[in-house]
């Protein structure tokens, strides 16, 4: 039987209008055989979590270049826990200072990818870490 | 709680999980689908088809908002094409429906076609049933754009909306050929653009010239989906069409054709799976193929030989 496609939500939380990275990533994941739900700019954490649950995604990828990650990333994690959906793998990327990363990981963000990461690194990471079944 | 019980209680995660199973491992979903079946048949299924970028998703978002104002619950299935080369897909219809993501009365699911050619995904029918059992009053099904691929939607929906826009140029000629038969309602979207009036007039003329004897003449609405202009009238048009179907017991007839097709599909798949399972054992099928290749048997004789071995406990297939 054919392998099922991995489903990924690529979301841009907050008011940040930088969507180039998110789009590049969405296309790269599609080309790697994944089903990518792309929801566009200016999503609230509530919308992201609602979408992630309805779409039954394996991965939520958050992209922020505005600096609001310290507030928005933990909020997404909190909502996922509230709704019993913290089995979804959450990763993030964008302009995120090294110093902020340990705290975000403590909140449950599995990995952070900053500028210069290749899309292949992200693809490999997802394939290795996504839940099975 | 079983998945089916969760779905009947309206639990979003249960709905989400069963849809995933239906897409990935359809055989495994059969018991849950069987448990849900008595609770289906209440939802009205509205198909939306039209050229890429004509505003289908924006329209669905607007129509849903209007139905929510009227106190109805809504399920949305948005289908986008899967790349035949990589098996991946970008499912982007939700961009136009962002603010519905937190409304508990709305459930949206994006699907890739995954190799299916008729404009819908293979699992779409079962996803409709799941949302129906979950208590949604209306279910919108957005197809991938019109091409040769609008055929599946008429076999799936109670009411089919065909969306057109100004400026399709010659495309409209090719599109036109097929749409008269499938449209229950026409929507000319992007009416804020020049020439929208001409598209409406052209459609009305086509409908006048149509020699088909019609009990239901598809109404033509113009809308600006981005601003919401004209949306209320489309919702009324959908309600009128449903009313027409109910009055003439046409709804029953349409649905009966769907049940027929569905059962026949299950039967076909079941028989084929069973026969091929049997014939694959010990290379029997390969031997038969070799005989056909060597012109010792013809394809008909070979097929009859396969069919004769049908033992028929009927439990194969998905
Ligand atoms: C292009 C750009 C713009 C464009 C955006 C176009 C668009 N539609 O995206 C425009 C001109 C519109 C713009 C505007 C602004 N910008 Co600007 N912009 C940039 C710039 C130069 C490049 C960003 C980019 O597109 N990179 C290319 C993509 C492919 O890379 P990426 O997004 O980083 O993504 C990669 C990784 O981060 C990672 N990744 C990203 N997201 C995700 C998600 C997941 C899940 C994963 C796994 C990985 C991942 O993978 C990608 C591939 O490697 C950056 C500087 C920089 N060098 O980063 C500033 C920058 C981001 N902008 C900045 C600012 C301040 C602004 C403005 C506020 C400027 C202003 N005062 O008006 C506005 C705000 C716009 C808004 N509405 O939000 C600052 C942000 C500062 C901060 N965070 O503290 C930066 C860092 C410039 C700077 N050094 O000051 N900007
Ligand atoms: N001017 C104008 N633009 C519109 C209108 N409706 C939708 N659009 C825009 O048209 C573009 C496509 O809209 P969608 O709703 O994504 O169209 P779609 O038919 O779902 O597209 P696909 O799913 O990709 O086939 C978007 O940029 C919309 O904002 C309208 O009434 N007027
Ligand atoms: Mg669409």
């Amino acid at each position: 039987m054919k392998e099922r496609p991995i489903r990924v939500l690529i979301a841009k939380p907050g008011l940040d209008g930088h969507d180039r990275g998110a789009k590049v990533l969405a296309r790269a994941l599609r080309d790697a055989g994944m089903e990518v739900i792309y929801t566009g700019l200016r999503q609230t954490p509530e919308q992201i979590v609602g979408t992630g649950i309805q779409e039954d995604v394996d991965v939520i990828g958050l992209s922020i270049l505005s600096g609001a990650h310290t507030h928005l990333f933990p909020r997404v994690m909190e909502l996922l826990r509230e709704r019993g959906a913290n089995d979804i793998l959450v990763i993030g990327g964008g302009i995120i200072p090294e110093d902020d990363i340990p705290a975000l990981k403590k909140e449950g963000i599995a990995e952070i990818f900053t500028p210069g990461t290749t899309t292949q690194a992200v693809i490999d990471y997802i394939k290795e870490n996504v839940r099975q079944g | 709680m079983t998945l089916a019980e969760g779905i009947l209680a309206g639990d979003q995660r249960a709905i989400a999980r069963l849809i995933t199973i239906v897409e990935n491992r359809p055989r495994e979903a059969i018991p849950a689908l069987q448990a849900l079946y008595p609770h289906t048949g209440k939802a009205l299924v509205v198909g939306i088809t039209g050229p890429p970028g004509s505003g289908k998703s924006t329209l669905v978002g607007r129509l849903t908002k209007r139905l929510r104002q009227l106190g109805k619950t809504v399920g949305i299935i948005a289908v986008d094409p899967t790349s035949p080369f990589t098996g991946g897909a970008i499912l982007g219809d939700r961009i136009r429906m962002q603010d519905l993501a937190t409304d508990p009365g709305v459930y949206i699911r994006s699907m890739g076609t995954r190799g299916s050619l008729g404009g819908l995904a293979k699992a779409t029918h079962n996803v409709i049933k799941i949302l129906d059992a979950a208590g949604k009053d209306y279910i919108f099904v957005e197809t991938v754009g019109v091409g040769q691929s609008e055929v599946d939607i008429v076999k799936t929906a109670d009411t089919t909306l065909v969306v057109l826009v100004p400026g399709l140029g010659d495309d409209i000629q090719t599109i036109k050929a097929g749409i008269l038969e499938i449209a229950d309602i026409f929507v000319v979207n992007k009416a804020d653009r020049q020439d929208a009036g001409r598209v409406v007039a052209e459609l009305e003329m086509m409908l006048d010239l149509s020699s088909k004897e019609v009990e239901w003449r598809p109404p033509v609405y113009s809308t600006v989906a981005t601003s919401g202009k004209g949306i209320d009238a489309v919702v009324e048009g959908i309600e009128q069409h449903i009313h027409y179907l109910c009055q003439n017991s046409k709804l029953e007839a349409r649905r009966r054709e769907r049940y027929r097709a569905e059962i026949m599909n299950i039967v076909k798949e079941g028989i084929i799976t069973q026969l091929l399972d049997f014939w694959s054992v010990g290379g029997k099928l390969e031997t038969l193929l070799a005989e056909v290749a060597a012109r010792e048997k013809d394809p008909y004789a070979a097929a009859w030989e396969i069919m004769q071995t049908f033992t028929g406990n009927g439990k194969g297939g998905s």
Side-chain angles (χ1 to χ4, degrees):
Chain A
M1 202 167 135
K2 238 179 53 189
E3 211 183 310
R4 75 189 174 91
I6 295 170
R7 283 170 72 87
V8 186
L9 168 62
I10 295 294
K12 291 237 15 118
L15 301 175
D16 173 23
H18 297 90
D19 61 358
R20 221 185 263 166
K23 284 179 170 165
V24 166
L25 192 67
R27 274 192 293 271
L29 298 183
R30 175 200 58 194
D31 293 343
M34 301 181 197
E35 284 185 353
V36 183
I37 293 113
Y38 181 64
T39 47
L41 295 170
R42 282 180 272 283
Q43 298 274 291
T44 64
E46 285 78 6
Q47 287 172 339
I48 292 168
V49 170
T51 298
I53 287 175
Q54 290 182 357
E55 299 287 355
D56 199 27
V57 293
D58 306 294
V59 185
I60 295 179
L62 303 169
S63 176
I64 296 199
L65 285 78
S66 68
H69 53 272
T70 46
H71 162 65
L72 291 167
F73 282 12
R75 179 74 186 132
V76 168
M77 296 315 295
E78 184 186 326
L79 288 167
L80 282 172
R81 278 192 294 273
E82 263 172 33
R83 299 192 58 179
N86 44 333
D87 54 328
I88 299 174
L89 178 71
V90 181
I91 57 178
I95 305 288
I96 297 171
E98 281 299 325
D99 292 351
D100 292 350
I101 294 178
L104 295 175
K105 286 196 172 170
K106 230 171 116 196
E107 287 287 339
I109 312 281
E111 195 53 87
I112 301 282
F113 297 86
T114 46
T117 8
T118 62
T119 52
Q120 190 57 46
V122 179
I123 293 164
D124 292 342
Y125 181 85
I126 290 177
K127 285 189 172 165
E128 274 161 35
N129 291 280
V130 79
R131 70 181 176 203
Q132 298 299 314
Chain B
M1 194 155 64
T2 65
L3 271 186
E5 284 163 353
I7 288 163
L8 292 173
D11 173 27
Q12 294 220 343
R13 281 222 104 186
I15 298 172
R17 279 286 149 79
L18 187 59
I19 294 176
T20 300
I21 298 173
V22 152
E23 280 198 288
N24 294 335
R25 306 181 299 275
R27 275 198 214 198
E28 232 174 83
I30 293 173
L33 290 171
Q34 287 182 301
L36 291 177
Y37 190 74
H39 304 274
T40 60
K42 289 178 285 245
L44 296 163
V45 182
V46 180
I48 314 263
T49 189
S54 52
K56 299 180 290 296
S57 302
T58 316
L59 267 169
V60 168
R62 287 284 179 180
L63 294 169
T64 299
K65 278 228 182 109
R66 177 64 187 147
L67 286 167
R68 293 294 293 138
Q69 284 172 355
L70 299 172
K72 307 290 185 191
T73 56
V74 180
I76 300 171
I77 302 168
V79 186
D80 275 319
T82 295
S83 157
F85 303 107
T86 66
I90 291 186
L91 311 175
D93 294 315
R94 288 187 84 114
I95 297 175
R96 317 285 167 212
M97 313 175 188
Q98 279 196 14
D99 41 355
L100 299 174
T102 50
D103 180 344
V106 178
Y107 190 103
I108 309 175
R109 183 69 171 226
S110 315
M111 300 178 78
T113 51
R114 298 195 184 179
S116 166
L117 298 174
L120 298 179
K122 187 161 175 257
T124 307
H125 302 86
N126 282 329
V127 178
I128 290 173
K129 282 196 208 119
I130 294 167
L131 294 177
D132 186 349
K136 299 293 177 256
D137 298 316
Y138 283 80
I139 297 171
F140 287 108
V141 182
E142 178 186 339
T143 75
V144 303
V146 198
Q148 291 100 19
S149 60
E150 65 278 13
V151 281
D152 274 1
I153 193 63
V154 260
K155 292 189 223 142
T156 304
D158 298 319
T159 296
T160 301
L161 264 64
V162 173
V163 183
L164 294 171
V165 285
L168 286 175
D170 289 343
D171 283 0
I172 197 165
Q173 298 303 332
T174 45
I175 291 166
K176 267 179 192 167
I179 55 175
L180 273 188
E181 286 91 74
I182 68 164
D184 296 310
I185 292 172
F186 283 106
V187 176
V188 177
N189 190 41
K190 308 200 181 183
D192 50 332
R193 289 207 194 150
Q194 249 188 341
D195 285 346
R198 220 188 63 207
V199 179
V200 174
E202 270 181 47
L203 277 171
E204 294 284 8
M205 205 167 70
M206 275 168 58
L207 290 165
D208 287 339
L209 293 173
S210 161
S211 54
K212 243 187 5 185
E213 192 139 321
V214 280
E215 289 173 52
W216 171 265
R217 186 187 199 274
V220 182
Y221 297 103
S222 37
T223 58
V224 183
T226 36
S227 75
K229 197 169 159 220
I231 292 297
D232 294 5
V234 178
V235 170
E236 278 165 32
I238 293 169
E239 281 168 350
Q240 276 162 22
H241 184 249
I242 301 283
H243 186 69
Y244 155 80
L245 290 176
C246 289
Q247 269 192 335
N248 300 276
S249 55
K250 283 228 159 48
L251 189 62
E252 258 322 294
R254 276 190 186 203
R255 289 185 174 182
R256 194 170 292 238
E257 280 316 303
R258 251 188 269 161
Y259 305 144
R260 188 195 307 280
E262 184 180 357
I263 295 167
M264 287 310 131
N265 267 334
I266 298 170
V267 169
K268 268 188 234 165
E269 280 190 24
I271 291 177
I272 289 172
T273 312
Q274 223 188 316
L275 288 176
L276 292 186
D277 280 354
F278 176 79
W279 275 83
S280 306
V281 178
K284 287 196 285 288
L285 186 60
E286 293 308 311
T287 313
L288 193 62
L289 292 181
E291 287 169 345
V292 172
R295 300 294 184 276
E296 287 161 19
K297 278 180 186 152
D298 62 79
Y300 291 99
W304 286 327
E305 200 171 313
I306 290 177
M307 284 188 279
Q308 262 163 17
T309 53
F310 182 63
T311 50
N313 76 12
K315 280 270 175 134
S318 48

